[in-house]
Amino acid sequence: MDLGDPRLKLWATEATLGVYGGMQSGYARGNVPERQSTLLAALKSDAHMGNIMNYAELQFIIAECALRKYVELDASEAYTKGINGAMEYWGTTVPQGYLANPKVIFSAEDSETQKLKKVHLQKYYAMMFTDFQQWYEYRRTQLLDLYKGPGLLNNGKMPVRLNYPIIVQSLNRKITKMRSVAWAEME
């Protein structure tokens, strides 16, 4: 989705001149897609990394709550503040026309679900590099239209839980046993 987002040049290399390309998720084992854009090495020491929660995320939470009628606030205003805050966090500004893009702006014809999808897409970008928060939000809402590749092992469904790393499993038998019991009880 080309939105002309100025943060891309701060995060990744161009795959080809002026074009950024991501790697598919869920690719089949042994069938690694061609490498496209890569993360910039400078991100390893960037002060923006390690963010826990920022102003933009708060505004997107407020926008979602307003859309769901949990609070009596202006969802559009919070959404716009979230977009501006997310850009400012990375030292950029919202490009001219960005907020008028039909993929971004709330239109009168948009359903509540369409507006929520727009909020969560922008929240997804705002939470780039914030541990697993994007995945948690996807699990919680199912509002992002994420690509589901042919290599997903769960009958083509997105993963909903993470395994403990092998080192934890091998060093902490109690966790491994508790996990096995929990799985058995869920089945």
Side-chain angles (χ1 to χ4, degrees), residues 36-96:
Q36 299 209 19
S37 295
T38 59
L39 295 176
L40 295 175
L43 288 172
K44 290 179 183 178
S45 60
D46 193 297
H48 295 96
M49 305 305 271
N51 171 45
I52 295 172
M53 183 176 193
N54 60 37
Y55 174 79
E57 182 181 355
L58 172 64
Q59 291 303 314
F60 293 130
I61 291 169
I62 291 169
E64 178 180 354
C65 288
L67 285 168
R68 294 184 187 274
K69 310 287 189 251
Y70 299 155
V71 294
E72 291 186 31
L73 295 170
D74 184 346
S76 181
E77 181 181 337
Y79 174 63
T80 302
K81 286 180 179 179
I83 293 170
N84 284 313
M87 297 280 184
E88 288 172 14
Y89 180 77
W90 285 92
T92 64
T93 57
V94 176
Q96 188 170 358

Side-chain angles (χ1 to χ4, degrees), residues 1-40:
M1 172 185 312
D2 183 24
L3 298 175
D5 195 311
R7 294 170 291 187
L8 282 175
K9 67 181 179 214
L10 302 173
W11 296 339
T13 61
E14 294 177 354
T16 59
L17 188 60
V19 177
Y20 294 89
M23 180 182 243
Q24 299 176 353
S25 64
Y27 55 84
R29 287 186 183 184
N31 190 15
V32 179
E34 184 179 328
R35 184 176 174 171
Q36 299 209 19
S37 295
T38 59
L39 295 176
L40 295 175

Side-chain angles (χ1 to χ4, degrees), residues 20-181:
Y20 294 89
M23 180 182 243
Q24 299 176 353
S25 64
Y27 55 84
R29 287 186 183 184
N31 190 15
V32 179
E34 184 179 328
R35 184 176 174 171
Q36 299 209 19
S37 295
T38 59
L39 295 176
L40 295 175
L43 288 172
K44 290 179 183 178
S45 60
D46 193 297
H48 295 96
M49 305 305 271
N51 171 45
I52 295 172
M53 183 176 193
N54 60 37
Y55 174 79
E57 182 181 355
L58 172 64
Q59 291 303 314
F60 293 130
I61 291 169
I62 291 169
E64 178 180 354
C65 288
L67 285 168
R68 294 184 187 274
K69 310 287 189 251
Y70 299 155
V71 294
E72 291 186 31
L73 295 170
D74 184 346
S76 181
E77 181 181 337
Y79 174 63
T80 302
K81 286 180 179 179
I83 293 170
N84 284 313
M87 297 280 184
E88 288 172 14
Y89 180 77
W90 285 92
T92 64
T93 57
V94 176
Q96 188 170 358
Y98 187 90
L99 295 172
N101 186 317
K103 295 174 183 173
V104 176
I105 193 170
F106 285 175
S107 74
E109 295 82 35
D110 284 346
S111 67
E112 179 183 303
T113 300
Q114 289 169 316
K115 289 178 182 177
L116 284 167
K117 282 184 171 208
K118 289 177 180 181
V119 167
H120 280 278
L121 180 64
Q122 292 298 323
K123 189 175 184 182
Y124 183 87
Y125 298 145
M127 295 182 351
M128 190 69 70
F129 312 114
T130 306
D131 61 46
F132 293 104
Q133 289 302 315
Q134 296 165 309
W135 179 64
Y136 298 141
E137 287 296 312
Y138 172 78
R139 283 186 55 212
R140 180 178 71 83
T141 67
Q142 302 291 304
L143 288 168
L144 288 170
D145 296 322
L146 298 179
Y147 174 80
K148 296 174 181 144
L152 290 175
L153 300 176
N154 189 23
N155 294 324
K157 296 177 191 166
M158 277 291 195
V160 294
R161 59 176 63 97
L162 297 173
N163 288 327
Y164 284 101
I166 298 297
I167 188 75
V168 173
Q169 293 178 42
S170 64
L171 295 176
N172 192 335
R173 297 284 180 203
K174 187 174 181 179
I175 286 178
T176 304
K177 184 175 181 176
M178 288 173 26
R179 187 172 148 255
S180 297
V181 169

